[in-house]
Amino acid sequence: MNTGTNMHDPWEPFFNEVEGDVKSLLREHGVEGTSLETPPPGMGDLALPCFQMAKKLRKSPQAIAVELGEKLGGKNYAVEVKGPYINFSYKREELLRNTLSALEMMGEDYGRLGRIGKRVIVEHTSANPNGPFHVGRARNPIIGDSLVRILRYAGWDVEAQYWVNDMGKQVMTLVWGVKNLSEEDLPPPERDKVDHIYVRYYQEASRRLEEEDVEERINHMLKEYEQALEDGDLKRHINHPKDKPTRAEEVKEIVEKVLGGMDSSLKRLGVVVDRYVYESQVVVDGTLREVISRLRESERSREEGGAYYLDFSDKPIHGKSKRFFFTRSDGSALYTTRDLAYHLWKLSRCDRAINILGEDHKLQSYYLREALKELGVEKLPEVVFYSFVSLPEGKMSTRKGRVVYLDDLMDEAVRKAKEEVEKRRKDLSEKEMDEIAHIVGIGALRYNIIKVQPEKKITFRWEDALNFDGFSAPFIQYSHARACSILRKAGEAPTPTVKFVERYQEEAELELVKSISLLPHAVYEAAKSARPHIIAQRAYEIARSFNEFYRDSPVLHAPGEIREARLALVLSVRWALSSALNMLGIVAPERM
RNA sequence: GGACUCGUAGCCUAGCCUGGACAGGGCACCAGCCUUCUAAGCUGGGGAUCCGGGGUUCGAAUCCCCGCGAGUCCGCCA
């Protein structure tokens, strides 16, 4: 269990020592393959079950546990044999010492691990720029952004990328709509925001797509646009008035406008994108052309009516999906082909690539992966798939008008948070209450998404989405604010230091230290396995143990040395909680 | 029809990859706690055929097989 985080992780000395000792002892006895596990609470911190060795050593597991247990013991751990189990406990003084030392060293950065010196690119959101975000896909930016933040804490150099689809029919449909429809053709926008204003053009244009000539016109525009891009001539006018912007310029302008509206929603959510990469880029810079010619040379490559595909009949996929078409019969590229070009570009710029995708992209992602292998790429992207958020009445659908927009959800969350603040804090100014309402409302929203595993489907219910109690962001934020309040009243708090090792004797204090001590390891795990909900859990546990400590151990009214040590502990809680919340993109308020 | 994912108390969820000691939480419900640092809190309580059936194993929520239910995909769309 080498976490590679050395002095940042208080648990490492314990894990390393126990693991090392157990391994060599088992080797002496010629029994391998038994591994340490986490025992139930109250039974220590690591456990070694002895059932497996029973057959080989021809003794009862209980006898083996006793025998082996006697030979174990170390600087960091104590051993206790319980039936067929050997339990290892991290010695309190060592746990305290190592935790306090990490806190002392890291300060408010507690939870951050050492720099790895490697680069990871996280691609998330990448929603089509044709209208506002709806809740169905809201998991994407939340999972992606949290992962970005966690990876940064874990020591990676991270870049968050948004792959913008500025090609293809959906975009051209929007462009056609903007050019050909007028305000009278459209219902009033649901809100005064660019993406909401423009989505109406897209929706109406999509409806008219049923009409033959509209479809033809859009296809024509698309071809013209693609041709200009492929020729690398964005200034070229083809069948297009000379005194107007070119098609390419038009597309760019409209896409950027809509994207601007979408981006403001992301900003409000606290999501930060470092770089927008446009699909058209891979066409203009020639990467796409190169990918196509390399794919055509592949042994899997087949041709049918001028269209090219890779043949995956030998792979465990069936029916039509055995064939991955990468060009149309007119030679133009398809979406996944452009994605492939993007991935070549991306993978050459990082040590690790993570994509956040909706589960509907699984097959496409499989093609991408296999095609990359076909091109001789060894470093493949890791993919986090998430299931959709649906409504109790069914799947969200823009066309059927059965959607909850992210903007509305954020409004509602903030509104409800405002109500709650007003109930409790009559002393605050309107401005302060609004700030807190925003922090709490948005925090609750993000937390409710991130706390569950991405592959679970979510049915959207307002009462769940706006839950502010228990396992929720406000609970954690509240604990943080409580800690801040104590520190504020104390005026000054001593920095946690190993000198306080002896001063934490009460159960609630020890539990709290232990809870805090587990944060760095949680960061390591969450970053390694790309599972942000691990941090959500840890944050909750820390807040919970702090609330228990709060009940049992008075801080401000405690006598001299104890007060000092407890204040240092409260400061540690503040650091740990604000780090954890920060990793989830949730603001840690000083008061609420 | 095939492939992938999910199925844990009234509801939501952790644990599943790497099988082990009584399946952790939360919401809702019931009973308590504001003369002490913010009650968005704390304490206690009831509530679980871990979807069903087989198998592997000393041991299965966890691994394998067969079902059932839900979601997603199976386009020269994105």
Side-chain angles (χ1 to χ4, degrees):
Chain A
M1 210 178 294
N2 185 350
T3 60
T5 54
N6 47 61
M7 69 278 211
H8 298 84
D9 181 358
W11 281 79
E12 200 167 86
F14 170 75
F15 286 151
N16 287 346
E17 192 180 20
V18 173
E19 198 175 60
D21 289 0
V22 166
K23 217 178 233 168
S24 58
L25 182 66
L26 290 184
R27 203 175 306 126
E28 269 172 46
H29 285 75
V31 276
E32 315 266 336
T34 311
S35 57
L36 290 158
E37 59 184 48
T38 309
M43 309 266 201
D45 302 302
L46 278 175
L48 180 71
C50 298
F51 302 97
Q52 282 188 347
M53 311 165 222
K55 204 170 267 175
K56 181 136 193 190
L57 300 179
R58 313 183 57 161
K59 282 179 204 159
S60 73
Q62 287 79 358
I64 295 168
V66 170
E67 190 183 321
L68 295 184
E70 277 168 4
K71 295 182 186 160
L72 288 162
K75 172 173 179 277
N76 288 292
Y77 69 95
V79 173
E80 194 185 357
V81 173
K82 221 164 200 158
Y85 296 91
I86 304 173
N87 295 328
F88 304 87
S89 303
Y90 200 169
K91 283 185 184 162
R92 283 187 164 184
E93 319 82 70
E94 294 305 322
L95 170 61
L96 277 164
R97 191 189 313 281
N98 291 328
T99 306
L100 288 167
S101 145
L103 283 159
E104 188 172 9
M105 182 179 71
M106 299 304 293
E108 60 179 12
D109 266 339
Y110 178 76
R112 204 177 278 284
L113 310 181
R115 270 199 75 187
I116 295 170
K118 285 189 180 175
R119 194 172 157 76
V120 55
I121 293 175
V122 178
E123 180 205 333
H124 68 76
T125 310
S126 303
N128 283 340
N130 54 14
F133 289 106
H134 63 73
V135 174
R137 291 186 185 271
R139 291 177 105 167
N140 199 319
I142 295 175
I143 294 168
D145 186 63
S146 302
L147 211 44
V148 165
R149 292 162 180 271
I150 291 166
L151 286 161
R152 267 191 198 121
Y153 266 85
W156 290 83
D157 296 324
V158 191
E159 185 171 273
Q161 293 189 356
Y162 186 127
W163 170 236
V164 185
N165 172 18
D166 62 342
M167 296 193 67
K169 205 162 183 173
Q170 300 202 32
V171 174
M172 206 46 83
T173 304
L174 170 67
V175 173
W176 181 89
V178 174
K179 307 297 294 177
N180 293 282
L181 298 171
S182 56
E183 203 50 48
E184 301 91 76
D185 301 321
L186 307 167
E190 297 207 7
R191 64 168 66 206
D192 188 21
K193 187 161 168 289
V194 259
D195 45 347
H196 285 84
I197 291 169
Y198 273 76
V199 74
R200 300 170 307 146
Y201 292 97
Y202 174 70
Q203 284 167 330
E204 181 57 27
S206 298
R207 260 188 289 279
R208 300 208 183 173
L209 209 47
E210 316 274 297
E211 298 162 30
E212 197 104 332
D213 55 326
V214 173
E215 164 127 45
E216 216 168 277
R217 180 68 198 135
I218 289 174
N219 283 337
H220 184 78
M221 286 164 75
L222 194 57
K223 190 129 295 166
E224 176 191 345
Y225 172 60
E226 283 173 357
Q227 195 58 54
L229 290 178
E230 267 174 54
D231 295 344
D233 186 3
L234 306 187
K235 294 280 178 200
R236 194 165 61 172
H237 292 72
I238 315 163
N239 288 335
H240 202 72
K242 297 264 188 281
D243 54 334
K244 297 268 174 62
T246 61
R247 190 108 283 157
E249 287 166 341
E250 243 171 46
V251 171
K252 190 166 200 298
E253 192 196 325
I254 293 169
V255 163
E256 280 178 357
K257 256 187 200 152
V258 179
L259 209 52
M262 297 166 75
D263 191 50
S264 73
S265 302
L266 290 182
K267 282 218 167 64
R268 191 176 178 206
L269 240 200
V271 171
V272 181
V273 173
D274 299 313
R275 189 199 288 253
Y276 287 86
V277 185
Y278 286 77
E279 266 190 55
S280 53
Q281 175 200 298
V282 300
V283 181
V284 174
D285 70 11
T287 335
L288 180 65
R289 199 192 312 260
E290 192 201 321
V291 167
I292 292 173
S293 73
R294 282 172 67 191
L295 283 176
R296 279 170 63 162
E297 283 161 25
S298 153
E299 291 192 352
R300 285 181 188 283
S301 179
R302 306 276 185 277
E303 186 261 324
E304 185 182 86
Y308 283 83
Y309 64 92
L310 294 185
D311 181 11
F312 288 134
S313 337
D314 58 323
K315 303 279 179 185
I317 41 179
H318 305 273
K320 291 188 177 169
S321 35
K322 283 190 283 204
R323 306 195 297 179
F324 159 47
F325 278 90
F326 58 93
T327 66
R328 297 191 183 92
S329 45
D330 66 356
S332 61
L334 288 140
Y335 172 78
T336 306
T337 320
R338 292 190 289 271
D339 201 9
L340 202 48
Y342 165 53
H343 272 79
L344 288 180
W345 176 86
K346 188 161 73 170
L347 290 165
S348 70
R349 280 164 182 75
C350 63
D351 301 289
R352 185 181 178 193
I354 302 176
N355 299 337
I356 317 300
L357 295 174
E359 60 181 339
D360 54 334
H361 279 64
K362 275 188 181 174
L363 181 60
Q364 184 265 331
S365 183
Y366 177 82
Y367 288 149
L368 181 85
R369 193 183 174 78
E370 291 304 315
L372 283 169
K373 283 196 212 160
E374 211 55 35
L375 294 174
V377 175
E378 282 172 20
K379 181 176 52 199
L380 298 169
E382 297 165 44
V383 186
V384 177
F385 291 106
Y386 61 91
S387 299
F388 297 117
V389 179
S390 60
L391 293 170
E393 46 288 25
K395 195 183 165 181
M396 286 196 203
S397 153
T398 313
R399 194 171 295 178
K400 291 178 187 159
R402 198 167 60 197
V403 278
V404 175
Y405 286 113
L406 178 59
D407 292 317
D408 294 329
L409 179 54
M410 289 193 284
D411 281 354
E412 192 56 24
V414 171
R415 192 196 58 74
K416 194 194 162 198
K418 179 80 183 288
E419 235 174 67
E420 299 292 324
V421 196
E422 280 170 342
K423 252 192 265 174
R424 299 162 222 259
R425 300 296 300 268
K426 303 204 164 55
D427 55 317
L428 296 176
S429 71
E430 197 66 19
K431 186 167 170 271
E432 283 172 305
M433 284 197 287
D434 282 334
E435 269 169 35
I436 293 168
H438 171 263
I439 290 170
V440 171
I442 302 294
L445 199 67
R446 287 190 63 138
Y447 196 86
N448 277 313
I449 295 284
I450 209 69
K451 71 180 181 182
V452 317
Q453 296 209 20
E455 56 269 24
K456 297 254 186 189
K457 333 175 236 283
I458 295 181
T459 303
F460 179 84
R461 292 185 189 88
W462 285 104
E463 62 267 36
D464 295 340
L466 302 181
N467 166 34
F468 289 5
D469 302 314
F471 190 25
S472 71
F475 173 89
I476 300 161
Q477 292 172 314
Y478 180 73
S479 308
H480 178 267
R482 254 184 172 173
C484 289
S485 166
I486 294 174
L487 294 169
R488 207 163 35 237
K489 286 195 169 133
E492 232 181 322
T495 303
T497 155
V498 285
K499 288 178 204 140
F500 293 157
V501 163
E502 304 292 329
R503 298 209 199 156
Y504 301 111
Q505 297 296 333
E506 297 204 5
E507 205 47 43
E509 292 169 337
L510 293 164
E511 279 307 308
L512 181 52
V513 171
K514 193 165 172 182
S515 192
I516 291 171
S517 75
L518 287 164
L519 182 62
H521 192 250
V523 174
Y524 173 77
E525 283 294 330
K528 187 178 74 169
S529 57
R531 286 184 298 168
H533 78 278
I534 292 176
I535 299 301
Q537 302 253 2
R538 194 70 251 147
Y540 173 73
E541 291 300 332
I542 294 171
R544 197 166 60 145
S545 30
F546 174 63
N547 283 322
E548 283 166 29
F549 161 85
Y550 180 89
R551 172 203 61 203
D552 291 344
S553 313
V555 177
L556 297 175
H557 304 292
E561 291 206 330
I562 295 180
R563 180 179 194 267
E564 215 186 3
R566 285 185 182 163
L567 273 172
L569 187 49
V570 173
L571 183 57
S572 308
V573 168
R574 180 186 176 168
W575 291 341
L577 287 181
S578 82
S579 288
L581 287 172
N582 199 249
M583 281 182 248
L584 301 174
I586 296 169
V587 179
E590 292 189 21
R591 56 188 88 218
M592 65 185 269

